[in-house]
Amino acid sequence: MLSSHAKSSSSSRNLAGMLESGGFEGEGSGSCGGSRQQARDPRRTSLSVNSGRVIIASNHLPLRVKKSSTGEWQFEFDEDALTAQAKDGVPRSHFQEVLYVGGLPVDVEPEEQENIAIKLKDLYNCCPVYLDSVVKERFYNGFCKQQLWPLFHYVLPGSPSSSQRFNVEFWQAYVKANKCFADKIVEESLTDTEFVWIHDYHLLVLPSLLRKRFNRIRAGVFLHSPFPSSEIFRTFPKREELLRSLLNADLIGFHTFDYARHFLSCCSRMLGLEHETSRGSITIDYYGRTVGIKIMPTGVNPKRYLDGFSWDEFKWRRGELEAQFKGMTVLAGVDDMDSFKGIDLKLQAFERLLEYHAEWRGKLVLVQVTNPPRSTGHDITELHAFVTNLVASINYKYGNPSTNYVPVHYLERHVPLHERMAFYSIADCVVVTATRDGMNLVPYEYIVCRQGPDTPPGAESTVESGPRDSMLVVSEFVGCSPSLSGAIRVNPWSIDSGYNGMYAAICMPLEHRRLRHQKHWRYVSQHTVAFWAQSYLMDLVRVTRNHVTMKCYGLGLGLDTFRMVALDANFRKMEESQVAATYKSSKSRVFFLDYDGTLTAGQHTSITLAPLDEVLQVLRALTAEPLNKVVLFSGRPKAELQEWFASVPNLALVAENGCYLRLGEGQTWRSHLTPGLQVADQSWVSLVVAADFGWKKMALPILQQYQESTDGSSIEAKESALVWYYKDADPDFGSWQAKELLDHLEGVLSSKPVEIVGGSSAVEIKPRGMSKGQAVEKMLGQLYGYPAIAERRSSSSRPMGRPSSDASERRPSSSRFSMSDRGPSAGSAAVQSAASSVQGGGAEAAAQQELAAAGKGPDFVLCIGDDRSDEDMFTSIEMMRASPQMMSSEVYACTVGQKPSRAPFYLNGPGEVLHLLARLVGINLPNLPL
């Protein structure tokens, strides 16, 4: 037994006792052996200082474990483990310590667990996670190996009795196991902003569990397996739980672009989340947090293998193999006994080579090293029997006992590193025929071993002198394939492709083999595991650099709904009492209220958006107050707004998101204050100068063509604009069509005064210079007798890119193209300059006189909106605060919902908005929920 020297000091310097663990589906007590459960309250945690370390979490700790003859556990740091080798790449400028959290490959008795944990942390900085035996079996052999592993390798369960069918008990064990990892990480955490690097598919729900405990934790995930296409992944019953949990990390890593593309497609199709690209990086905005996507294959540690050439056991085994295969051309393969490794396909291709090319019989051998299977099942048993029989058949058919020629040397056992290196060093070619594999480092290891160390002068050489050579035959379905441009890529499912690849490799001229080897060696020696770790962790530092300033809110309970909303630290909920006090003391007030989604309180059961009685009651009370001026904004047509709000006197209206404006009763437009406004009908004026909608006749047939060819798309024809929606179309195809439509319209309408805006699942064509921000400026000019801002540069008018033609390209939330005028003065300056040329100096003189006589602007401004179009209002209000008329104004800009916004305040929903407005005018709304 291990000696007991309890180390309780660690618990006093971590946050375990300061956080309250929350529950997710599948969590339960008693599943984490040796875990110390304490009451924890995250609200009491305000630490933000970087602890100077990174926590690496993986299913297995980088340790070798065995029991001595006396029954004591013996541990050894496993330098060949990927997570152990990654330590060399940890950037010391940011991290001075690496702490490992993971499981042990053996079961430890409960009474030994605490002592072993103390010893492992002291000696190796490893913190073991102990799982109940039942949970461990269901977690690893059940969910991970029988369900996630096949899913990620494109295998769907066909038979009702298949072990790959979703099993609720396995899923619950998976969540419980991940919770045990989360508990251990929280227990060992020094701050609430720890850096945590999570590895592989065993811990996919860990990001959500950690984010629920520590809102500002800096978590990264690297998936070492493939990620399937959306058509495969969407079949998984817990698909949203896994996707949302991954998105609760800050950086998600994949070996290849294909895997990342599939993940992005899943986010788009299942969650409606689009990605953006900027300066070579790919990001997803997830409730205010920027989630980075990292594409970078891992590597090996060349020094580890080159140092091995000096080991006596390597020299002995290499000499033995050289003698055994003298005069032979050697093909080598090193694989696990797994249905995805393609061992059977490799053997069949080798058999065909010997069948078609008799001249190679007696000269060519295949050394196949097969590691024991990591899981069990009918498929593995069947594969093992097939491979064993096929090896015997090939050796019987093409072997020659008289010359001791055996075509296939099949080693079905664990091969230690020194022996594996010996096989690599004498092999002329390595063959990898996996049908689907995350990375597969066998080719990298082979390249290093074929290169060998440079022999110092006078030293004994263990490798051939002169230029090295090597050849690779690699499946196109493995993660390392894109980085090995000199390899012969084959489709392993085609026996002919595999056979032709092998034959081309053994017939390749020596000079070509040397050139290919040099190319591969340059890549492998530079893109090492240390380089991969350093690059990943530096990106994790970069994407989380603003975490300490974030204001976070956790929403949702289950894994399928939980998300962390990250907001600016100055973003806060609007205090009703403060607004009411300011309202009461003010003398001149103006309200800019969005209607759609801001005052529509969610009680509607019909399609119509007509206002509730409570909305009309509040608006009537607001407009009845002589000190108040109320402007209501909507995207609806003029006629609907007039009908809905006919009972509200003195209410100013803005229709179609800023195109049409109408003042309240008894008010007339003063054209010299806001020049360029065009009279429409029934006291409405148009924000668009000399509105010419002839472009609609050109644009509508084009939109109809795209509607017909894009199933699920639709057209909305407004009086001032045309919109093509593709929200209900296939996300990828809709995005492709949107890009083509933008290009098409830009060419056709290039001479027309319109803007073509690519938004979220929509393409809109509208007159140039039309926005809610412009309407706010015009309304203030009319209501308070001073001109609108002459020059206005709205940030929402910046070009933001276009919807892309591929899920792998950027699909931003908005893009804008201004036709006919590409200069910066496409806003109100263009309106005013056009008007001034008509009105002449008389109008300008009148405006100056009235400005001089005008009093101050409003001393109370309340602006509330809920969507992206309302952000332009917030920007305009902020810009106008610098004007002399509004410098002393109390301005409250408020968005609806806790989401990133230019407004500094928020209210949680339309109910809270109506209750706030009702309080200002002394109305009680008991039947309207918050």
Side-chain angles (χ1 to χ4, degrees):
M1 303 296 293
L2 290 172
S3 60
S4 175
H5 50 287
K7 211 167 69 169
S8 60
S9 60
S10 62
S11 62
S12 64
R13 58 182 175 85
N14 60 46
L15 302 176
M18 302 173 65
L19 298 176
E20 179 180 5
S21 61
F24 274 137
E25 171 197 359
E27 293 184 8
S29 61
S31 60
C32 306
S35 179
R36 290 172 289 208
Q37 303 295 323
Q38 301 181 26
R40 298 162 184 164
D41 187 353
R43 293 170 297 180
R44 295 170 55 192
T45 303
S46 59
L47 302 177
S48 60
V49 179
N50 180 14
S51 66
R53 69 175 182 178
V54 58
I55 299 175
I56 296 180
S58 58
N59 184 44
H60 288 304
L61 291 171
L63 296 171
R64 297 189 182 98
V65 187
K66 66 179 181 179
K67 251 188 178 181
S68 68
S69 57
T70 60
E72 290 185 337
W73 290 108
Q74 294 180 338
F75 300 90
E76 180 185 0
F77 197 72
D78 185 2
E79 296 182 5
D80 297 323
L82 183 67
T83 53
Q85 295 178 349
K87 184 178 181 180
D88 294 336
V90 172
R92 299 302 172 184
S93 57
H94 292 81
F95 308 103
Q96 290 77 49
E97 181 186 2
V98 176
L99 182 71
Y100 294 97
V101 172
L104 292 173
V106 295
D107 292 326
V108 178
E109 295 299 325
E111 61 271 15
E112 298 181 283
Q113 290 176 359
E114 184 68 18
N115 287 340
I116 288 179
I118 293 172
K119 177 179 180 179
L120 294 182
K121 187 172 183 182
D122 284 342
L123 296 179
Y124 307 110
N125 238 19
C126 290
C127 299
V129 176
Y130 299 115
L131 300 178
D132 176 85
S133 58
V134 175
V135 171
K136 185 175 182 179
E137 174 66 22
R138 292 176 177 176
F139 156 66
Y140 185 75
N141 291 324
F143 192 78
C144 290
K145 282 303 178 182
Q146 295 184 32
Q147 298 186 356
L148 272 188
W149 180 259
L151 175 75
F152 282 5
H153 288 76
Y154 288 69
V155 176
L156 296 179
S159 169
S161 60
S162 172
S163 61
Q164 297 167 12
R165 284 288 177 100
F166 179 76
N167 185 302
V168 175
E169 291 183 347
F170 289 174
W171 165 252
Q172 291 174 344
Y174 184 78
V175 176
K176 287 179 181 178
N178 276 250
K179 182 180 180 295
C180 292
F181 276 81
D183 290 341
K184 177 57 69 173
I185 292 172
V186 169
E187 180 183 323
E188 297 295 336
S189 295
L190 303 179
T191 77
D192 64 346
T193 56
E194 288 277 14
F195 283 90
V196 181
W197 189 5
I198 302 166
H199 287 266
D200 223 3
Y201 63 96
H202 313 90
L203 304 174
L204 292 185
V205 300
L206 184 55
S208 279
L209 298 169
L210 290 175
R211 187 71 63 189
K212 193 171 189 293
R213 309 280 190 92
F214 291 156
N215 296 347
R216 297 183 298 173
I217 198 166
R218 310 175 199 219
V221 176
F222 197 95
L223 193 64
H224 294 276
S225 70
F227 196 91
S229 71
S230 60
E231 291 304 305
I232 297 292
F233 189 77
R234 70 193 300 184
T235 65
F236 188 62
K238 298 296 181 181
R239 61 191 187 184
E240 286 202 16
E241 284 85 337
L242 295 184
L243 284 179
R244 292 192 182 278
S245 185
L246 282 170
L247 290 169
N248 276 320
D250 298 295
L251 184 64
I252 308 171
F254 300 93
H255 284 304
T256 72
F257 171 70
D258 278 345
Y259 305 158
R261 176 169 57 89
H262 293 159
F263 173 77
L264 295 173
S265 179
C266 288
C267 291
S268 172
R269 289 173 176 268
M270 298 169 208
L271 302 180
L273 299 173
E274 305 297 344
H275 67 278
E276 296 186 4
T277 58
S278 176
R279 297 183 178 180
S281 64
I282 304 174
T283 59
I284 297 176
D285 182 78
Y286 189 61
Y287 293 98
R289 287 189 310 107
T290 298
V291 181
I293 306 298
K294 176 77 170 176
I295 303 171
M296 187 175 185
T298 186
V300 296
N301 180 8
K303 186 177 184 300
R304 172 70 170 162
Y305 297 93
L306 297 179
D307 289 346
F309 275 70
S310 62
W311 301 341
D312 291 336
E313 56 269 32
F314 165 79
K315 297 177 183 178
W316 171 81
R317 186 57 173 144
R318 174 185 167 86
E320 192 176 50
L321 293 175
E322 285 179 330
Q324 181 179 358
F325 297 113
K326 185 177 182 180
M328 296 284 184
T329 297
V330 179
L331 305 180
V334 179
D335 305 279
D336 294 336
M337 175 55 72
D338 191 291
S339 55
F340 306 113
K341 297 301 183 180
I343 300 174
D344 53 330
L345 300 172
K346 182 191 305 182
L347 291 170
Q348 291 178 71
F350 181 73
E351 181 182 29
R352 185 160 300 180
L353 192 158
L354 295 178
E355 177 186 355
Y356 288 0
H357 296 279
E359 70 274 13
W360 282 99
R361 299 172 191 171
K363 301 177 183 178
L364 180 66
V365 296
L366 170 63
V367 179
Q368 177 61 46
V369 177
T370 304
N371 298 315
R374 301 186 184 182
S375 59
T376 59
H378 175 72
D379 293 343
I380 298 297
T381 303
E382 185 178 357
L383 174 64
H384 180 269
F386 180 84
V387 167
T388 303
N389 292 334
L390 184 56
V391 169
S393 174
I394 295 173
N395 288 338
Y396 176 79
K397 187 184 298 184
Y398 299 108
N400 189 339
S402 63
T403 60
N404 293 324
Y405 172 62
V406 180
V408 180
H409 293 256
Y410 188 71
L411 285 74
E412 191 174 3
R413 60 177 172 83
H414 172 71
V415 175
L417 177 60
H418 74 272
E419 186 176 9
R420 192 166 76 247
M421 289 173 52
F423 278 116
Y424 287 148
S425 67
I426 60 97
D428 298 283
C429 176
V430 155
V431 183
V432 178
T433 55
T435 57
R436 188 74 60 178
D437 211 348
M439 184 60 192
N440 201 313
L441 296 175
V442 166
Y444 289 8
E445 296 173 347
Y446 167 67
I447 293 298
V448 177
C449 292
R450 286 294 287 183
Q451 175 68 21
D454 294 328
T455 306
E460 180 184 356
S461 175
T462 56
V463 295
E464 296 83 356
S465 59
R468 275 65 161 187
D469 69 277
S470 63
M471 274 306 301
L472 288 168
V473 176
V474 177
S475 165
E476 59 191 56
F477 300 114
V478 298
C480 65
S481 177
S483 60
L484 298 171
S485 57
I488 298 176
R489 297 191 180 98
V490 299
N491 175 7
W493 293 104
S494 168
I495 304 303
D496 283 339
S497 177
Y499 136 68
N500 286 325
M502 293 182 191
Y503 184 69
I506 61 178
C507 295
M508 181 91 47
L510 177 61
E511 186 60 31
H512 289 191
R513 297 201 304 269
R514 287 175 174 172
L515 291 174
R516 292 175 186 240
H517 173 81
Q518 292 171 9
K519 187 175 186 179
H520 290 158
W521 169 243
R522 280 196 301 269
Y523 179 87
V524 172
S525 61
Q526 294 173 6
H527 294 79
T528 63
V529 63
F531 176 80
W532 163 75
Q534 181 183 35
S535 177
Y536 183 92
L537 289 174
M538 290 306 297
D539 274 6
L540 183 59
V541 170
R542 178 180 55 81
V543 299
T544 60
R545 61 180 177 270
N546 295 325
H547 270 34
V548 293
T549 64
M550 291 194 316
K551 189 175 184 179
C552 302
Y553 298 87
L555 300 177
L557 296 177
L559 285 169
D560 57 336
T561 59
F562 174 74
R563 66 268 191 206
M564 185 61 61
V565 179
L567 305 170
D568 186 87
N570 296 321
F571 189 68
R572 59 196 184 278
K573 187 173 183 179
M574 181 174 284
E575 295 289 341
E576 286 190 11
S577 57
Q578 179 184 357
V579 178
T582 307
Y583 174 87
K584 186 176 181 179
S585 62
S586 58
K587 303 300 181 183
S588 178
R589 316 174 187 116
V590 62
F591 295 79
F592 295 109
L593 305 175
D594 174 58
Y595 174 67
D596 312 291
T598 301
L599 298 180
T600 50
Q603 278 77 29
H604 301 284
T605 57
S606 61
I607 298 178
T608 179
L609 292 175
L612 297 174
D613 292 338
E614 290 86 349
V615 174
L616 296 175
Q617 181 185 1
V618 169
L619 291 177
R620 281 193 291 265
L622 283 172
T623 56
E625 171 59 50
L627 300 181
N628 294 348
K629 294 180 174 63
V630 184
V631 184
L632 190 69
F633 289 76
S634 176
R636 312 305 298 176
K638 304 193 302 290
E640 284 189 4
L641 296 182
Q642 285 186 158
E643 177 185 352
W644 290 348
F645 300 101
S647 64
V648 184
N650 302 320
L651 179 66
L653 296 173
V654 177
E656 298 197 17
N657 286 331
C659 185
Y660 297 106
L661 291 71
R662 193 194 76 173
L663 293 174
E665 295 177 3
Q667 296 177 319
T668 57
W669 287 98
R670 292 173 281 187
S671 60
H672 58 281
L673 290 176
T674 51
L677 295 177
Q678 307 297 305
V679 177
D681 56 78
Q682 299 182 16
S683 74
W684 289 89
V685 297
S686 173
L687 186 64
V688 181
V689 179
D692 176 15
F693 296 110
W695 54 266
K696 283 188 174 182
K697 296 180 180 179
M698 303 171 62
L700 186 57
I702 298 175
L703 297 187
Q704 290 172 338
Q705 175 186 346
Y706 280 81
Q707 180 189 18
E708 293 173 2
S709 61
T710 310
D711 188 32
S713 66
S714 60
I715 298 173
E716 180 183 6
K718 300 180 180 180
E719 187 172 343
S720 63
L722 294 174
V723 188
W724 180 73
Y725 297 102
Y726 59 95
K727 181 179 180 180
D728 296 326
D730 178 271
D732 291 337
F733 183 58
S735 179
W736 298 340
Q737 292 289 78
K739 179 182 181 299
E740 293 300 321
L741 178 58
L742 283 168
D743 289 338
H744 195 165
L745 292 172
E746 185 178 8
V748 173
L749 303 177
S750 59
S751 60
K752 302 298 180 182
V754 297
E755 288 178 330
I756 305 172
V757 182
S760 178
S761 301
V763 174
E764 181 178 15
I765 316 166
K766 64 179 184 178
R768 188 182 61 233
M770 184 186 82
S771 71
K772 288 184 179 180
Q774 290 278 356
V776 166
E777 294 178 14
K778 302 295 184 184
M779 280 295 188
L780 279 172
Q782 288 293 322
L783 296 175
Y784 293 96
Y786 58 90
I789 296 175
E791 290 290 334
R792 180 173 167 276
R793 308 279 177 86
S794 171
S795 61
S796 66
S797 297
R798 296 177 306 199
M800 296 287 289
R802 305 182 187 177
S804 74
S805 61
D806 189 283
S808 63
E809 298 175 4
R810 181 180 184 184
R811 290 204 295 263
S813 57
S814 65
S815 57
R816 179 169 299 183
F817 300 89
S818 177
M819 302 295 108
S820 178
D821 183 354
R822 303 303 176 93
S825 58
S828 56
V831 176
Q832 294 183 5
S833 62
S836 62
S837 63
V838 177
Q839 296 181 9
E844 182 178 353
Q848 293 293 335
Q849 293 174 4
E850 185 152 353
L851 177 60
K856 292 183 178 181
D859 55 3
F860 176 90
V861 180
L862 179 60
C863 181
I864 308 179
D866 75 301
D867 64 16
R868 187 177 293 117
S869 65
D870 299 315
E871 296 296 316
D872 208 24
M873 285 200 304
F874 303 146
T875 301
S876 288
I877 292 292
E878 183 63 28
M879 294 175 66
M880 296 183 73
R881 290 184 67 178
S883 65
Q885 292 80 8
M886 291 184 62
M887 290 186 67
S888 60
S889 301
E890 290 289 341
V891 178
Y892 296 94
C894 176
T895 188
V896 178
Q898 298 181 35
K899 59 181 182 291
S901 172
R902 295 187 181 102
F905 299 101
Y906 73 89
L907 290 171
N908 284 320
E912 289 192 1
V913 175
L914 286 174
H915 278 281
L916 169 65
L917 298 176
R919 176 175 177 174
L920 298 182
V921 291
I923 294 178
N924 186 27
L925 301 176
N927 297 324
L928 187 70
L930 289 174

